[in-house]
Amino acid sequence: MSLEGIHHISAITGNAPANVEFYVGVLGLRLVKKTVNQDDPTVYHLFYGDERGRPGSELTFFEYPGAGSGRAGAGMVHRIVWRVASAEAIGFWKNRLTERGIATETVGGRLRFLDPEGLAHELAISAVDDEPLAGGAPDVPREMALQGFDGVRAYSRDPARSEALLNALGFSGGEDGAWEVRGDERGSLFTYDPAPEERPRQGAGSVHHIAFNTGSEDQDEWRRRLIEAGAWPTPVIDRFYFRSVYFREPSGVLFELASGGPGFTADEEAEHLGERLSLPPDFEPLRETIEPALRSLPDPRSRADRA
Ligand code: ZN
């Protein structure tokens, strides 16, 4: 039983339409699921990913319209690192972002930039053989596309506190706060950086939690293992697209362990993912109340098709 790297990363946006413009229109991801926050169905929960919305490529946003900006601090993920194929791809993204007025910085051959709400991203040339998980945006050549997550960087005041739990979860390494978690198919990096002094603030452009992929649905067994390792996991929660347990690791980062399936084709055909508002069965009877209250979202791909 081992974790197959990152399953998804969930963040907060104050502006869902602008969020779609950036992640679909600029970064070329696919909107694979348009649903509502299961804890507050008046707001969107948007999922972006590769063309099939596979674990390892899923970036999700809870919308809190007009939310103030967040600030990453101790116990929070502060940067998302994506894989790309080559130095040419790094150059492609540098040009594409610059053309759209987005500032970039190249550090050690990697490209850094912020989303419109300040969430930090970095593109790195892939150093592993994991299957590339790429979107199929009409204006992003396949060989240039983002290929899924390489890892995340989080802030900690005392990363040594997290060692025992990460070891119990099968993470390896740990030198200078740099961990890897790898299963049979995929792996991801998880790295701690020294936390800034300022108090963290959860808000627009900040990461809420990071989910790792358990592959099969062994959530009860993982929960047992977590308790044995001294963590305080939630009960197993059925998120319809996956089953999850949540807990805070000792540095304060909110972790989720999510099952690989059933995935986003549980309620939509693969070719029509994300086109209509998906509601889990419990919320379906409320569709007529929920749907009109949500803002309409742009469709950058159909625009790029016409261009
Ligand atoms: Zn989650």
Side-chain angles (χ1 to χ4, degrees), residues 165-182:
L165 184 64
L166 293 179
N167 277 318
L169 292 175
F171 286 58
S172 61
E175 293 275 293
D176 297 323
W179 296 86
E180 180 175 27
V181 60
R182 177 158 286 283

Side-chain angles (χ1 to χ4, degrees), residues 167-228:
N167 277 318
L169 292 175
F171 286 58
S172 61
E175 293 275 293
D176 297 323
W179 296 86
E180 180 175 27
V181 60
R182 177 158 286 283
D184 298 332
E185 310 262 318
R186 301 190 74 74
S188 303
L189 303 176
F190 180 75
T191 307
Y192 290 112
D193 291 312
E197 282 306 314
E198 300 99 311
R199 280 172 63 92
R201 195 168 54 219
Q202 193 84 76
S206 69
V207 170
H208 183 262
H209 66 266
I210 174 166
F212 294 93
N213 185 6
T214 63
S216 55
E217 298 196 30
D218 294 330
Q219 267 41 34
D220 296 295
E221 174 56 22
W222 278 103
R223 186 167 185 278
R224 196 196 56 72
R225 197 182 280 199
L226 284 165
I227 292 168
E228 204 175 275

Side-chain angles (χ1 to χ4, degrees), residues 8 10 209 211 242 246 256:
H8 64 269
S10 287
H209 66 266
F242 36 81
Y246 300 82
E256 172 182 354

Side-chain angles (χ1 to χ4, degrees), residues 79-267:
R79 184 179 302 143
I80 297 171
V81 184
W82 300 82
R83 294 179 188 144
V84 294
S86 61
E88 288 69 41
I90 298 275
F92 170 87
W93 287 103
K94 186 175 167 61
N95 287 340
R96 185 171 167 93
L97 292 162
T98 305
E99 275 167 15
R100 287 162 173 76
I102 298 157
T104 65
E105 186 190 2
T106 308
V107 181
R110 296 166 169 236
L111 190 70
R112 292 184 183 172
F113 56 93
L114 305 176
D115 90 350
E117 296 178 302
L119 178 56
H121 293 278
E122 181 174 284
L123 309 186
I125 299 171
S126 179
V128 296
D129 297 330
D130 299 358
E131 184 183 355
L133 304 176
D139 57 344
V140 177
R142 193 78 179 171
E143 62 276 18
M144 301 297 172
L146 305 191
Q147 299 187 335
F149 302 126
D150 194 54
V152 297
R153 303 187 76 99
Y155 285 135
S156 173
R157 293 209 189 290
D158 182 10
R161 279 193 307 197
S162 298
E163 275 180 29
L165 184 64
L166 293 179
N167 277 318
L169 292 175
F171 286 58
S172 61
E175 293 275 293
D176 297 323
W179 296 86
E180 180 175 27
V181 60
R182 177 158 286 283
D184 298 332
E185 310 262 318
R186 301 190 74 74
S188 303
L189 303 176
F190 180 75
T191 307
Y192 290 112
D193 291 312
E197 282 306 314
E198 300 99 311
R199 280 172 63 92
R201 195 168 54 219
Q202 193 84 76
S206 69
V207 170
H208 183 262
H209 66 266
I210 174 166
F212 294 93
N213 185 6
T214 63
S216 55
E217 298 196 30
D218 294 330
Q219 267 41 34
D220 296 295
E221 174 56 22
W222 278 103
R223 186 167 185 278
R224 196 196 56 72
R225 197 182 280 199
L226 284 165
I227 292 168
E228 204 175 275
W232 294 79
T234 62
V236 177
I237 298 174
D238 186 352
R239 293 298 188 194
F240 189 68
Y241 304 113
F242 36 81
R243 297 175 74 232
S244 296
V245 293
Y246 300 82
F247 58 99
R248 236 170 246 288
E249 57 83 34
S251 286
V253 181
L254 185 56
F255 272 25
E256 172 182 354
L257 300 187
S259 60
F264 296 126
T265 49
D267 60 352

